[in-house]
């Protein structure tokens, strides 16, 4: 029972982080049909911005609890600004192009951002470890867990709930769903699609950067972070179904639990099992578990 509990909680913690990363990626694809490879850069920018801001904050000798607000504010602000620059500066010119072209363009942006990050922050690792230990530890079933990690589960649940409510229970969300199903008809009835695109991309970039900011206290923030993360996020959204928030959540949970089981039972296959889950799902559901319906043109 102790082993099962460890797998369950470790899996949910990892799944929570995966979902926060993947939510922005799948949201942008669902609305704009852009498989944004540069999403990994937003994650890295959020992590670097959070680590830098937290380090600066503690050098000032200010109250320690304020570091959490600084971490979140720095990560989200950096991600939204970077997202707006990319969308307004490059992607708006390419809206409506073939999805393969958009993948290649955003992959190029990812590589550019990797070099920009090195120019701004250098190649040394950054650490923002202080917030990670401030919340203490808890014992569950004889096992000890860091409270910071447990709170990540709550944060992911709140983000999932907010996205569901925003898409299904608000006027803006319903307009967004109309754009998802038929962009041309949405434009014909007067919906400002361009504004929705800007808002969606900014939210997606902010979520990616938020995931980086939340991860920063638990990792060493170093170059190459974005490329590692985009591969994992891609596995989650493909498993769940491109463009589906529910799919991203279920895909993250499946992959998180599978990875936790591998880490605790057979560590040698930890990396393989992530893509093994994706492969097994795609064999039976080629478009993912919750693939969005596509309109058939007559």
């Amino acid at each position: 029972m102790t082993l099962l509990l460890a797998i369950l909680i470790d899996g949910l913690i990892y799944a929570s982080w995966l979902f926060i990363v993947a939510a922005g990626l799948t949201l942008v694809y669902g609305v704009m049909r852009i498989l944004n490879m540069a999403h990994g850069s937003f994650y890295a920018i959020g992590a670097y911005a959070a680590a830098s801001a937290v380090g600066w904050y503690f050098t000032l000798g200010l109250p320690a609890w304020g570091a959490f607000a600084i971490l979140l504010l720095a990560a989200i602000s950096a991600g939204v600004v970077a997202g707006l620059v990319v969308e307004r500066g490059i992607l708006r010119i390419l809206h409506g192009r073939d999805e393969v072209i958009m993948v290649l363009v955003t992959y190029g942006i990812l590589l550019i951002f990797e070099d920009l990050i090195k120019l701004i922050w250098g190649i040394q690792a950054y650490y923002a470890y202080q917030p990670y230990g401030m919340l203490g530890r808890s014992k569950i079933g004889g096992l000890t867990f860091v409270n910071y990690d447990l709170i990540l589960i709550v944060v992911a649940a709140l983000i999932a709930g907010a996205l569901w409510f925003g898409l299904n229970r608000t006027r803006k969300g319903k307009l967004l769903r109309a754009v998802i199903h038929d962009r041309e008809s949405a434009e014909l009835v007067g919906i400002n699609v361009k504004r929705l695109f800007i808002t969606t991309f900014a939210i997606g970039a902010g979520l990616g950067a938020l995931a980086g900011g939340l991860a920063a206290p638990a990792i060493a923030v170093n170059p190459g972070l974005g490329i590692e993360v985009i591969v994992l996020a891609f596995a989650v959204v493909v498993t769940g179904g491109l463009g589906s928030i529910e799919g991203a959540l279920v895909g993250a949970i499946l992959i998180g639990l599978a990875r936790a089981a591998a880490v605790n039972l057979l560590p040698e296959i930890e990396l393989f099992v992530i893509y093994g889950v994706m492969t097994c799902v795609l064999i039976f559901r080629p478009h993912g578990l919750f693939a969005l319906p596509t309109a058939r043109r007559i």
Side-chain angles (χ1 to χ4, degrees):
M1 289 301 295
T2 301
L3 180 60
L4 288 176
L5 181 63
I7 291 173
L8 176 62
I9 297 180
D10 287 345
L12 288 177
I13 291 171
Y14 190 70
S16 299
W17 171 76
L18 280 178
F19 171 73
I20 300 171
V21 176
L25 180 63
T26 200
L27 178 65
V28 168
Y29 181 84
V31 176
M32 304 172 68
R33 289 297 184 268
I34 297 175
L35 187 55
N36 181 26
M37 301 299 288
H39 192 73
S41 296
F42 301 145
Y43 174 90
I45 288 171
Y48 271 101
S52 300
V54 168
W56 167 81
Y57 184 84
F58 277 102
T59 61
L60 297 178
L62 297 173
W65 290 101
F68 293 102
I70 291 296
L71 182 149
L72 297 176
L73 182 62
I76 295 173
S77 299
V80 170
V81 170
L84 290 174
V85 169
V86 170
E87 202 283 330
R88 290 289 83 193
I90 301 174
L91 297 184
R92 69 181 179 88
I93 305 171
L94 303 172
H95 287 324
R97 297 290 184 90
D98 187 270
E99 291 180 18
V100 175
I101 293 176
M102 302 304 284
V103 170
L104 294 175
V105 170
T106 55
Y107 180 68
I109 295 171
L110 170 68
L111 297 179
I112 292 171
F113 268 123
E114 285 296 309
D115 284 338
L116 283 176
I117 287 171
K118 292 177 184 176
L119 286 173
I120 296 171
W121 281 284
I123 59 173
Q124 72 276 14
Y126 280 70
Y127 299 92
Y129 58 87
Q130 295 93 335
Y132 190 71
M134 284 173 54
L135 299 177
R137 298 172 180 268
S138 296
K139 280 197 172 185
I140 303 176
L143 299 173
T144 302
F145 296 93
V146 178
N147 288 334
Y148 186 94
D149 290 334
L150 297 177
I151 288 177
L152 199 62
I153 300 174
V154 178
V155 173
L158 290 174
I159 290 174
L163 288 173
W164 181 88
F165 182 83
L167 289 172
N168 295 280
R169 293 291 184 267
T170 65
R171 181 177 179 273
K172 290 290 185 182
K174 291 175 181 178
L175 294 178
L176 203 58
R177 289 170 68 86
V179 174
I180 291 173
H181 289 292
D182 195 330
R183 175 184 171 184
E184 293 179 3
S185 297
E187 288 179 326
L188 288 174
V189 298
I191 296 176
N192 192 332
V193 174
K194 290 183 179 179
R195 182 181 297 173
L196 286 178
F197 277 4
I198 296 170
T199 303
T200 300
F201 202 86
I203 292 173
L207 285 172
L210 173 62
L214 291 172
I219 63 173
V221 181
N222 48 36
L225 199 61
I227 295 176
E228 296 174 10
V229 166
I230 191 60
V231 176
L232 293 173
F234 182 74
V236 171
V237 299
V238 168
T239 300
L242 286 167
S244 170
I245 297 297
E246 296 88 349
L249 179 60
V250 174
I253 292 173
L254 287 176
I255 290 176
L257 292 175
R259 175 188 175 272
V263 168
N264 284 275
L265 299 173
L266 197 60
E268 294 83 358
I269 65 169
E270 173 195 350
L271 186 61
F272 166 79
V273 77
I274 294 174
Y275 305 105
V277 170
M278 180 183 72
T279 302
C280 291
V281 169
L282 294 182
I283 289 173
F284 298 100
R285 300 276 295 181
H287 299 289
L289 294 172
F290 294 84
L292 293 178
T294 55
R296 183 170 64 90
R297 297 189 180 275
I298 299 175

